[in-house]
């Protein structure tokens, strides 16, 4: 009988654990005791799992804990921890290796460990397996086995939730690959795709996000060109998208923990083989610079209206990395703030979706609790994130008569704004 333990209960781990609990005896582990406490109260602060679904799962036996002993009875471990980069954009595997060491403490004969974290090809077998062997004293593919099934969670996306996506699966032997595939297939609406090897599965995941990064970088570059030519980028994209094979994407800030991070893993691994992925590297540099570009464009618009930038009163609407989502990981809105901070200290940030304490802890920034009467007469407002609350908001009512409204997401009517990306 399969008994599942999911290690890491974030945006990836919790929805998966909740889903698996409908079919299997499932437990969840996370070192964050506060996170675990909230989950066991039926609250998912990431808003990925509906309260009713989570409470039903708990009522039916789903348990989470910050006590590692909860892992002891499991025989099918799923590791869903972050794979970040350091300040120099080099792969940081420490969370993954720490999780592997933790699992190794409880590994038994015949157990299977499946990794979901995004990695470059080879990490599972070359980095994680040696840790499992070292701390368990067991032999790979004799005493225990591994698999890889990359996560495809899109934070805030209720249409492509975990049960509805096609899941890539793989295993360290043919037999284990079949078992891993069967487990995932049993809870998914649209089934699985069984890769021929773990390395193929790892590679498939990392190019998903690298491809989007390159495509967005192309559109961001177009936006810069057309802005310089005083042509509306959105109108150009709308016209071009009438061709049947045109891939329509929008310019914008590329943050979060996937598109803005994962390409660095493949870039780093390619260099081991003597290759420099120039296209991916250029895309990363261009997309990482968009926050500063937005700030520069805002200042340009303010100068056109003879608005004194020094000590100007500016409001940034939204700081999460995407709309209608509380995820603040690697948000590039912070880059806009940092660039403008060189000119004025009068910068307010408002975002009803995020946890203000998390923003202060992570970025040292304080948020407005609400837009009150005193929060008016802004010299400039940047719509940085297209939260639904902002789309129905009368933004002009909180702005000075001579002011600039900059629409980063190109979601407002053209007549309402002074400029957009």
């Amino acid at each position: 009988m399969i008994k599942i333990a999911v290690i890491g209960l974030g945006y990836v781990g919790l929805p998966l654990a909740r889903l698996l609990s409908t079919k299997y005896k499932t437990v969840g582990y996370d070192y964050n005791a506060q996170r675990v406490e909230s989950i066991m109260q039926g609250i998912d602060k990431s808003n990925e799992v509906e309260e009713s679904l989570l409470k039903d799962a708990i009522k039916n036996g789903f348990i989470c804990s910050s006590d590692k002993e909860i892992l002891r009875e499991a025989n099918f471990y799923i590791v869903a921890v972050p794979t970040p980069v350091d300040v120099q954009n080099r792969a940081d595997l420490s969370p993954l290796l720490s999780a592997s060491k933790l699992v190794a403490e409880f590994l038994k004969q015949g157990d299977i460990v499946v990794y979901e974290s995004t990695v470059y090809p080879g990490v599972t077998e070359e980095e994680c397996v040696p840790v499992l062997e070292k701390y368990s004293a067991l032999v790979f593919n004799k005493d225990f086995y591994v698999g890889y099934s990359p996560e495809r969670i899109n934070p805030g996306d209720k249409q492509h939730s975990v049960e509805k996506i096609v899941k890539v699966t793989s295993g360290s032997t043919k037999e284990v690959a079949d078992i891993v595939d069967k487990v995932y297939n049993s809870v998914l609406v649209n089934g699985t795709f069984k890769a021929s090897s773990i390395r193929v599965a790892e590679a498939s995941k990392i190019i998903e996000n690298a491809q989007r990064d390159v495509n967005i970088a192309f559109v961001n570059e177009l936006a810069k060109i057309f802005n310089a030519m005083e042509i509306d980028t959105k109108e150009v994209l709308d016209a071009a998208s009438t061709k049947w094979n045109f891939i329509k994407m929008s310019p914008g800030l590329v943050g979060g923990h996937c598109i803005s991070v994962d390409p660095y893993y493949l870039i780093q691994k390619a260099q081991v083989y003597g290759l420099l992925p120039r296209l991916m590297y250029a895309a990363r540099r261009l997309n990482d610079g968009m926050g500063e570009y937005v700030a520069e464009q805002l200042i340009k618009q303010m100068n056109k209206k003879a608005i004194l930038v020094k000590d100007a009163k500016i409001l940034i609407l939204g700081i999460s990395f995407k709309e209608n989502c509380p995820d603040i990981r690697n948000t590039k809105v912070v880059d806009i703030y940092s660039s403008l901070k060189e000119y004025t200290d009068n910068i307010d940030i408002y975002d009803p979706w995020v946890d203000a304490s998390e923003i202060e802890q992570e970025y040292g920034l304080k948020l407005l609790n609400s837009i009150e009467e005193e929060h008016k007469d802004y010299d400039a407002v940047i719509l940085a994130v297209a939260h639904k609350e902002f789309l129905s908001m009368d933004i002009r009512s909180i702005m000075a008569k001579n002011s600039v409204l900059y629409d980063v997401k190109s979601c407002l009517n053209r007549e309402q704004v002074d400029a957009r990306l």
Side-chain angles (χ1 to χ4, degrees):
M1 178 184 294
I2 291 176
K3 297 178 182 178
I4 298 174
V6 177
I7 294 89
L9 299 174
Y11 284 85
V12 175
L14 182 59
L16 179 63
R18 197 285 311 172
L19 178 61
L20 289 167
S21 74
T22 63
K23 189 88 174 181
Y24 305 96
K25 172 69 175 176
T26 305
V27 299
Y29 169 83
D30 197 292
Y31 73 91
N32 187 332
Q34 289 183 329
R35 169 74 171 157
V36 168
E37 183 180 352
S38 294
I39 291 171
M40 291 306 294
Q41 291 174 354
I43 301 169
D44 174 20
K45 291 186 176 180
S46 68
N47 292 334
E48 291 301 308
V49 181
E50 293 179 16
E51 185 174 329
S52 60
L53 290 176
L54 187 52
K55 286 185 174 179
D56 282 346
I58 294 169
K59 188 169 70 174
N60 293 324
F62 174 52
I63 301 173
C64 299
S65 178
S66 57
D67 181 354
K68 64 182 180 180
E69 285 300 315
I70 199 171
L71 306 176
R72 190 166 296 282
E73 298 302 317
N75 54 25
F76 192 100
Y77 301 89
I78 297 177
V79 177
V81 298
T83 45
V85 292
D86 63 19
V87 293
Q88 295 179 315
N89 293 320
R90 295 177 303 193
D92 179 6
L93 298 177
S94 57
L96 195 61
L97 300 181
S98 293
S100 298
K101 182 179 177 182
L102 175 66
V103 170
E105 292 183 41
F106 301 96
L107 213 53
K108 303 174 296 296
Q109 194 88 19
D111 286 359
I112 297 173
V113 185
V114 180
Y115 291 89
E116 290 235 351
S117 308
T118 304
V119 294
Y120 55 75
V123 167
T124 300
E125 292 160 297
E126 296 168 11
E127 302 289 345
C128 297
V129 165
V131 173
L132 293 172
E133 285 189 312
K134 178 180 178 181
Y135 292 99
S136 71
L138 298 176
V139 179
F140 175 50
N141 274 347
K142 177 184 175 186
D143 300 322
F144 73 92
Y145 307 87
V146 300
Y148 183 77
S149 181
E151 59 91 0
R152 278 177 169 167
I153 292 294
N154 184 25
D157 187 345
K158 302 306 180 184
Q159 183 179 352
H160 301 99
S161 55
V162 63
E163 61 265 36
K164 297 176 185 176
I165 61 174
V166 176
K167 204 89 160 63
V168 175
T169 65
S170 62
S172 56
T173 69
K174 183 181 182 303
E175 293 74 22
V176 168
D178 290 340
I179 294 172
V180 171
D181 189 71
K182 185 177 179 180
V183 168
Y184 281 101
N185 213 358
S186 67
V187 294
L188 299 176
V189 174
N190 294 312
T192 59
F193 178 92
K194 187 166 59 175
S196 61
S197 69
I198 288 175
R199 288 168 64 88
V200 167
E202 290 170 327
S204 73
K205 167 58 182 176
I206 207 153
I207 69 166
E208 291 173 15
N209 292 330
Q211 181 187 64
R212 283 183 57 78
D213 195 39
V214 170
N215 286 342
I216 295 171
F218 171 64
V219 178
N220 276 338
E221 192 160 56
L222 291 180
K224 289 185 174 184
I225 294 169
F226 294 139
N227 283 343
M229 299 172 70
E230 298 186 345
I231 299 174
D232 191 297
T233 306
K234 186 177 185 302
E235 292 181 8
V236 173
L237 294 172
D238 288 343
S241 65
T242 59
K243 187 168 188 276
W244 63 91
N245 61 351
F246 182 80
I247 301 172
K248 186 177 182 181
M249 302 192 83
S250 300
L253 306 175
V254 184
H257 196 262
C258 291
I259 299 175
S260 64
V261 172
D262 296 348
Y264 285 121
Y265 275 69
L266 191 53
I267 289 170
Q268 179 179 327
K269 188 63 174 178
Q271 291 174 331
V272 173
Y273 291 87
L275 300 170
L276 177 61
R278 298 184 187 279
L279 184 61
M280 285 192 291
Y281 186 70
R284 277 284 72 240
R285 291 189 64 184
L286 193 150
N287 285 339
D288 272 349
M290 289 305 291
E292 183 179 359
Y293 173 78
V294 167
E296 291 172 353
Q297 291 299 298
L298 176 71
I299 292 169
K300 180 179 178 181
Q301 292 298 321
M302 293 175 72
N303 285 335
K304 282 184 176 181
K305 287 195 169 188
I307 301 170
L308 188 63
V309 178
K310 187 179 185 315
D311 298 327
K313 189 177 179 183
I314 299 174
L315 172 65
I316 299 175
L317 291 173
I319 196 169
S320 62
F321 93 87
K322 65 182 295 188
E323 64 274 8
N324 305 323
C325 172
D327 196 342
I328 62 170
R329 292 176 296 177
N330 202 30
T331 174
K332 296 303 176 184
V333 180
V334 172
D335 294 347
I336 300 176
Y337 176 90
S338 298
S339 296
L340 293 174
K341 195 74 167 57
E342 297 180 24
Y343 300 90
T344 177
D345 289 325
N346 300 323
I347 305 174
D348 289 335
I349 306 172
Y350 176 60
D351 193 319
W353 279 83
V354 307
D355 186 325
S357 62
E358 289 184 7
I359 288 290
E360 187 165 7
Q361 181 179 350
E362 184 71 21
Y363 299 108
L365 301 177
K366 291 190 176 182
L367 304 186
L368 295 178
N369 293 323
S370 61
I371 303 293
E372 303 292 348
E373 188 68 29
E374 66 268 23
H375 301 127
K376 287 193 173 184
D377 299 324
Y378 286 103
D379 298 303
V381 173
I382 303 173
L383 178 60
V385 187
H387 292 320
K388 58 187 179 182
E389 291 86 349
F390 299 153
L391 301 185
S392 60
M393 177 181 172
D394 182 6
I395 299 176
R396 283 289 181 185
S397 68
I398 58 173
M399 300 177 67
K401 188 173 182 180
N402 182 39
S403 55
V404 173
L405 175 54
Y406 191 102
D407 181 9
V408 174
K409 300 295 292 184
S410 298
C411 57
L412 301 177
N413 291 334
R414 188 66 182 89
E415 295 73 25
Q416 291 180 265
V417 303
D418 297 285
R420 62 187 186 188
L421 194 54

